[in-house]
Amino acid sequence: MDSRSAWRESVAAVRPAPALGQHVVDHLRRLIITGELLPGTHLVEAQLSDTFDVSRGPIRDALRLLETEGLVESRRRGVFVIGLSVDDIDELYSLRRLIETRAVALCMEGAERDFTAARGAIEQMAQAAARQDSADFARADLDFHSAFYTVSGHRRLESVWLQYRPTFATMLSVTNAEDRDLGPTYRDHVKLLQRISDRSTDALELLDEHLEGSRRRMLTAYTRHFDTTSTKELSS
């Protein structure tokens, strides 16, 4: 099968969806981040409209959103896939370090904060780890981190995080799928929450180590994932 057209079959297998616009952007994002849509691919509105069986409105909305996330770009001849490189992953994590460090610092200032949402996410992570459900674990992982942005009370920091959360969600789905044991990652989050809620002096240092570890795991998983993808394409 032609690898350039194989992705269309994966789209057809999951349609229709009730929230058409969200369905389109979520699926395109995953196809781009996992390398099923290769960098340089021309995303033609009419073709996408036919593939997803929706009007061009949701397609245009999806492409605009993916452009703000840095996954596609508009050129003179249309919209093209950029994809996600090692440099992109490094850039995303450097941005996350900046905003999450500030959000957590705010959580440890002033009056006592309510970390109920973070604790709830920890419980969801424990349950997902017990049944080795990497997808649910990834969602709970991001809910955990999102809680600090909300608790910080800084709306614009949270807005920036929410813009890039879907990208991190898809990247995590690649990383966690390769983890045979989610327990160590779960325990790292338990330790981090304890330090933050106790306002320990080493909380921000621990957060930095946590994010650096996540970045390294992500890069390792992506290198392995794309090596495997390239091998499959060459043998097809």
Side-chain angles (χ1 to χ4, degrees), residues 81-98:
V81 172
I82 297 177
L84 201 66
S85 67
V86 168
D87 287 342
D88 291 321
I89 293 174
D90 283 337
E91 192 172 277
L92 283 163
Y93 268 93
S94 67
L95 172 64
R96 185 173 172 185
R97 266 182 165 141
L98 288 171

Side-chain angles (χ1 to χ4, degrees), residues 10 17 19 23 27 29 45 51 57-58 63 67 73-74 81-82 86 95 141-142 146 154 159 165 175 192 199 212 227:
S10 69
H23 164 65
H27 207 75
R29 182 189 293 112
E45 280 188 18
T51 300
L63 295 179
E67 186 165 18
E73 67 176 357
S74 296
V81 172
I82 297 177
V86 168
L95 172 64
D141 184 335
L142 290 173
S146 295
H154 197 304
S159 178
R165 172 174 167 151
T175 304
L192 180 60
R199 302 189 177 195
E212 173 58 18
D227 282 348

Side-chain angles (χ1 to χ4, degrees), residues 1-15 23-53 59 63 66 72 79 81 229 233:
M1 182 183 294
D2 186 348
S3 62
R4 292 174 297 179
S5 61
W7 66 272
R8 297 193 185 95
E9 291 194 1
S10 69
V11 173
V14 297
R15 67 181 186 187
H23 164 65
V24 171
V25 73
D26 287 347
H27 207 75
L28 282 176
R29 182 189 293 112
R30 181 168 185 82
L31 290 168
I32 292 169
I33 290 178
T34 58
E36 293 180 67
L37 274 174
L38 298 173
T41 300
H42 186 192
L43 300 176
V44 182
E45 280 188 18
Q47 184 184 77
L48 291 173
S49 177
D50 180 63
T51 300
F52 283 96
D53 195 20
I59 300 298
L63 295 179
L66 292 172
V72 304
V79 178
V81 172
T229 302
E233 287 179 356

Side-chain angles (χ1 to χ4, degrees), residues 109-228:
E109 294 177 1
E112 289 296 320
R113 306 291 181 131
D114 182 1
F115 295 110
T116 300
R119 293 190 179 94
I122 285 284
E123 179 59 31
Q124 293 298 315
M125 291 175 74
Q127 294 174 15
R131 60 179 185 271
Q132 282 299 295
D133 188 330
S134 59
D136 279 357
F137 190 90
R139 281 189 288 271
D141 184 335
L142 290 173
D143 286 344
F144 172 85
H145 289 278
S146 295
F148 296 119
Y149 291 94
T150 302
V151 171
S152 76
H154 197 304
R155 292 185 298 109
R156 287 174 174 80
L157 274 182
E158 185 175 19
S159 178
V160 173
W161 164 245
L162 291 177
Q163 177 183 341
Y164 289 101
R165 172 174 167 151
T167 302
F168 278 102
T170 306
M171 291 194 301
L172 272 177
S173 71
V174 174
T175 304
N176 288 345
E178 295 201 346
D179 286 345
R180 294 184 178 179
D181 182 8
L182 296 168
T185 304
Y186 160 73
R187 290 189 288 274
D188 285 346
H189 284 78
V190 172
K191 181 179 179 181
L192 180 60
L193 178 58
Q194 188 63 54
R195 291 288 200 280
I196 294 171
S197 58
D198 288 345
R199 302 189 177 195
S200 300
T201 55
D202 66 343
L204 295 181
E205 180 180 349
L206 187 62
L207 173 65
D208 190 70
E209 292 173 1
H210 178 85
L211 293 177
E212 173 58 18
S214 178
R215 184 190 70 86
R216 287 197 302 266
R217 286 171 50 245
M218 188 80 70
L219 288 172
T220 299
Y222 258 81
T223 299
R224 190 178 299 119
H225 172 78
F226 282 107
D227 282 348
T228 302

